[in-house]
Amino acid sequence: MADDDRTLLGATGAFLSFVAVSAVAAVLVAAAMTPAVAVAGVAATGSIDMFESLPDYVAIGELAEGSNIYATNADGTFHKLATFYEQNREEVGWEAMSQFAKDAAVAVEDPRFYDHGGIDLQGTVRAVALTLLDNEDPQGGSSITQQYVKNVRVQNAVMAPGTEEERETAVAAAIETTPERKLQEMRMAIGLEKKYSKDEILRGYLNIAYFGGTVYGIEAASKYYFGGVSAKDLTLEQAASLIAIVNNPEKFRLDRPDNENNGTANAFGANHTRRDYILDKMLEHKKITAEQHAAAIAVPVVPAITPPSTGCQAAGGSGFFCDYVYWTIRNDNAFGATPEERDERLRRGGLDIYTSLDLELQVTTEAAVNENVPSVDPRFDVGAAAVTVQPGTGRVLAMAQNKVFSNDPEVLAASGPGWTSVNYNTDIDYGGSSGFQPGSTYKVFTLAEWLNAGHSLRESFDGRKRAFTRFPDSCVGDWSGSYEPRNDDGRIASNAVNATKWSVNSGFMAMAAQLDLCKIKQTAEAFGIHRADGDPLQMNPGDVLGSQEVAPITMAAAFAGIANGGLTCSPIVIDRILDRTGAEVTPPASTCRQSVEPSVAAAMAYAMQETFSGDGTAVASNTYSGVPHIGKTGTTDFAKDTWMIGSSTVAATAVWVGNVNYDANLRELRFESGAAATARHRIWPRIMANADARWGGAAFAEPDDSAFRVVLADIPDVRGKTLDEARSLIEDAGFGTEDAGPQDSELPAGQVSGTTPSGSAPRGSVVGVHTSNGALVLMPTVIGMKEKDARAALSAFAVTTSVQPVTVPSQDGTVSASNPAGGTPIRAGSAVTITVGKLP
């Protein structure tokens, strides 16, 4: 077939389609004006069948609208931290839109908008004809109502449940340029006009319209293109420029200054031309006066692009807290069945999320961290984190670290090590961190189990530095081997108070050796302790001293539990959520559990308060505010990690400063603010001083008398035993032992000759064991012997005689006494006096 024939047939087919569609269009237009007459007039034609088969109503679903995250100012007002959106849109009411914008839209898009019933006959017939006859240049001509219908269908497709592929298919169908789709929109436009007023439709149109990039709706467009100006405050020329964009967003948008046809070089010529055309139409349709027209025409197009805050990078120093909020929602199935659905709800659902973040404390925390720890150090991969949790609620009040937040790979690649997406305060599933060894701060869980098991704060134990060879473990079997911890200094702790105050490793190992490692782990878990990387929590002897990687927020929540009478509440960051209608959405709740009995928590608090007094390890973190604090310091092997964690009754703060990776010794380094190893003590009191000044804090509950009892136990009689036998018997009785050295004894050399003390002593105290040097002999018993026989028996001694007169003949010459007495251990050659009877 020749090309001319094809062209002729194509034109003929297009013409016939035009006739058929025009007939239906006529029915629809007539129906919009006088439905009963229109239907009666065409009842005999096939057009009415097509008309009746078309859908007559489009449901106006929810628009995709960004969600906002807020913190609380000191005066109780709210501060927006960030917005998450897929479509940058803020729905506003009729009164919040400039009349200029309303008039501009009507004048250029649908001058007869307030007169027709949803379809503009002139524009529709023209558009159908040109579209059918020239498929390469489809025409518009739709009324505002029809355009609104199209946009609603697209938005409904975007918001529909299902896979991304299914939504893309639905969007493609909604925007497909076909006569059928046009007719559907026309039919739906008529139905829409019967349900909504003209003003409601125009408001919906301006809220849903696309303005280029990710900008949707007149309010977001106004703020984005004109320096944050609200839609109600748009000038005439600004309103016309924005409505110009709606016609062809890619062509007329104002955020591409380098564009040849519509950029700064030609004063945004394309938009300017379209804007002036709209101003002409507004004048033509008497929406503005000639004076207003002339003044607006004279104004150049000058955009002031103001990118909206999107994501947590816009939250500044609160970015890591904001990211924790994001992951809290993404990991909670209350917000959707899958992580993807939860993310969509956040970016499209129009939620207002009010968080627990206290902005004043947050600013103090950021300053305390950043002024004491650099974001980058050429000597090592430096890190610092601080987080505050509220006892009794689990609310996270502040969270900061020594980096700038971004989760944009390009930004991270360009910005260097001072930027990161990893939140050092949280677990791997809530910010990407695998946690850090908490060091001696972890000892509080051994303290808790010590008290749980019935031991007291003043009960003695052998806290000397030594190798420990056995630890009970009911979970995996007792541990045996050799574990000899290093102590930070030469102090020896013999009770739980001093062990806590001075953080003596050997003291806590001595306590753990009398406990069950499994139960220590279970007690830690009762306080919410878990590994940050999600692996099961372990409990080897070294873990008593804090070698499991744990997140700072987990440690802060545990210390908050101690301060709260043993009731530990899991961390939460969201106080309240409102949906787009203002209805309440249930936020994730804290889970609280009684980790230890209040009496145990009170005893723990007593010991932990001692760290701030005298020569305690936390003295450098005193706030001197008068508010009582509990606390515990921590330093891992070779000072790779340093910690200060403590709490009042209203705020618990954990501070970590250390190596993000690698093993620099902080005790060998200095920052500009001072020694690296003590930066924690410059950060923690600054944060807590703010909390103390604003919220105060009550006294901790006093322990009952049982927490201070001293338990006495009998010391076994081990005279005559070997040294090893004696040690075993004494240690089995609950005491420590030490070799007290040799002493004079009548026992064979090497045998145990006695103990110091003997009889009874506080259980757990150290008993000195003496061994015989064999230097003594037992004084013979010579009473009743004749003097001659007595001297013979005492030949190894220097004997002197004293005379005692007697009157009985049988007592004459008989020994009646000796000094020392018989059976007394004495050295050979010692002086001995015997008393002998003598008749007058």
Side-chain angles (χ1 to χ4, degrees), residues 712-736:
L712 297 178
D714 291 333
I715 300 172
D717 181 2
V718 291
R719 279 174 51 82
K721 305 291 185 182
T722 66
L723 186 59
D724 286 342
E725 289 173 337
R727 282 174 172 164
S728 179
L729 288 169
I730 294 170
E731 289 173 2
D732 286 347
F735 298 95

Side-chain angles (χ1 to χ4, degrees), residues 735-749:
F735 298 95
T737 60
E738 63 179 357
D739 187 348
Q743 67 177 183
D744 293 343
S745 172
E746 81 284 4
L747 295 176

